Structure formats: structure tokens, C-alpha cells
Amino acid sequence: MQRHILNTFMREINLEMKQVFEVSFVCLGNICRSPLAQGVFESLVAREGLGDQISTSSAGVSGWHTGQLPDARMRETARQKGIQLNSRARQFKPADFNRFDLVLAMDQTNLSALEQMGGASDKKLRLFRSFDPMNNGDLDMPDPYYGGNQGFEYVYQIVARTCPKILEFIRPRLAPLK
Ligand code: 4NP
């Protein structure tokens, strides 16, 4: 009983002290779509002066490319827009749901894989393109991995118009500055 009270107390202190909103973008391999979303979103957050309040990362539902830099084609597309991608691929783990405030899946297959891990609340886990102002009902980010260069540019266009909408969603959820 005492332990239960202590745990509740600790959780409340932790919630109150948590100042940084943590968002993670998740795709299959964590070398194409989600690293681009991470890079574009990070650059937007920095431009808005919110770097101390929002932490941005990405992951894959698979561990196939763990430790790798983003795909060279994705890095080149981003570089042309003035964004350097230097994340290293990592696999999303069920315990990550405790850490993140918002987890954005790139397509419905990724979303299902995350849902199957359990532990995600509907509020935390969403589809990236549910924020896309031009989704026309298509909520999947196309996977450019097996296609040509135009696929990477297309992914960039979706990411670029969607990231500001995600920031609009997060802004009122940020902890007030002390
Ligand atoms: P991503 O793209 O999920 O956007 O990182 C892919 C990367 C690698 C593979 C598939 C998609 N693959 O089959 O290895």
C-alpha cells in the first residue's frame, strides 16, 4: 500500500517536472521517411525558437537498418533543401510509449505494428498524414525505398507542408516556461 502511494507521488512529481515535449516519427526502416520528418521538424522547431521545449527523434518498427545513416537518396533530397540528416536508425521499443508524448506513424502498416506492441494510447499514437492539409483522405506516406528519385521529392513535399500543422498541434500542449 505504501509503495503504491509512493509510486503515485513519484509519477505526479515527474509529470509536473516534465518540461520537454517528446515527439517521435516512425516508419519501417528508419532510413527514409521518418529521418526526413525528424530533420524537417527539428529545423522548424529551431527556427521557431522552441528547441529547448521540444525533443524530436525517429525510429523504425523494424531493426533492419539499426545504426545506419539515412538512405543516401533521402539525405541528398534533404541536403538540396538545406537540411542535413545525420540520425542513426534505431528500432522502436514498447517501452518508448512511456517516454514519448506523440508518436507519428508514417503509414497504416507502421501504425498496426505499433498498436500491436501495446501500451499506446489513442492520444499519443497517430498517423503522420492525419495532419497533412492536402491528404485527400489518403493517410499513408508512400514508401520511396524501392522507387526512383521523384519518390523522395514527393515525400519531402508532404513532410514540408505537414510539419507546421504538427507544430500547431503541439504548441498549446507545451509546458509553460518557468
Ligand atoms: P523507410 O523506408 O521505412 O521510410 O525507412 C524503407 C527502408 C528500408 C526498407 C523498406 C522501406 N527495406 O526493405 O529495407
Side-chain angles (χ1 to χ4, degrees):
M1 185 60 190
Q2 269 176 337
R3 179 184 286 266
H4 168 74
I5 292 169
L6 184 64
N7 281 346
T8 307
F9 181 62
M10 295 298 282
R11 195 164 53 241
E12 273 170 20
I13 288 183
N14 188 30
L15 282 176
E16 209 158 287
M17 286 178 62
K18 194 170 187 301
Q19 292 294 304
V20 177
F21 189 100
E22 297 196 49
V23 56
S24 180
F25 300 98
V26 181
C27 61
L28 175 58
N30 192 209
I31 55 168
C32 296
R33 294 164 291 176
S34 61
L36 181 73
Q38 176 182 353
V40 169
F41 193 70
E42 256 169 2
S43 124
L44 175 63
V45 163
R47 221 166 39 239
E48 293 292 316
L50 293 168
D52 291 342
Q53 288 168 271
I54 301 176
S55 145
T56 310
S57 60
S58 64
V61 294
S62 80
W64 300 340
H65 297 276
T66 295
Q68 292 178 15
L69 279 170
D71 185 286
R73 298 163 294 175
M74 195 81 266
R75 277 187 283 145
E76 176 55 19
T77 302
R79 192 193 61 76
Q80 287 172 12
K81 318 291 181 187
I83 289 167
Q84 216 186 333
L85 302 184
N86 43 26
S87 58
R88 294 282 177 172
R90 68 175 286 273
Q91 186 172 16
F92 195 91
K93 300 283 187 304
D96 289 339
F97 282 118
N98 299 329
R99 170 180 155 201
F100 291 111
D101 301 293
L102 185 61
V103 176
L104 295 172
M106 288 294 159
D107 64 32
Q108 320 222 25
T109 310
N110 306 151
L111 181 74
S112 301
L114 290 165
E115 280 168 349
Q116 275 165 29
M117 289 181 190
S121 74
D122 289 351
K123 273 198 320 211
K124 272 194 187 185
L125 177 58
R126 291 166 187 240
L127 277 165
F128 182 87
R129 288 197 73 189
S130 64
F131 293 94
D132 177 359
M134 291 167 65
N135 69 30
N136 288 323
D138 182 0
L139 297 181
D140 281 337
M141 176 76 82
D143 182 350
Y145 187 69
Y146 293 106
N149 283 340
Q150 73 285 359
F152 289 85
E153 175 63 27
Y154 186 55
V155 167
Y156 174 80
Q157 295 303 331
I158 299 175
V159 166
R161 69 186 183 225
T162 302
C163 280
K165 300 293 176 191
I166 295 169
L167 186 56
E168 259 177 44
F169 172 81
I170 292 176
R171 236 181 235 282
R173 292 167 172 79
L174 294 176
L177 284 177
K178 292 225 163 122

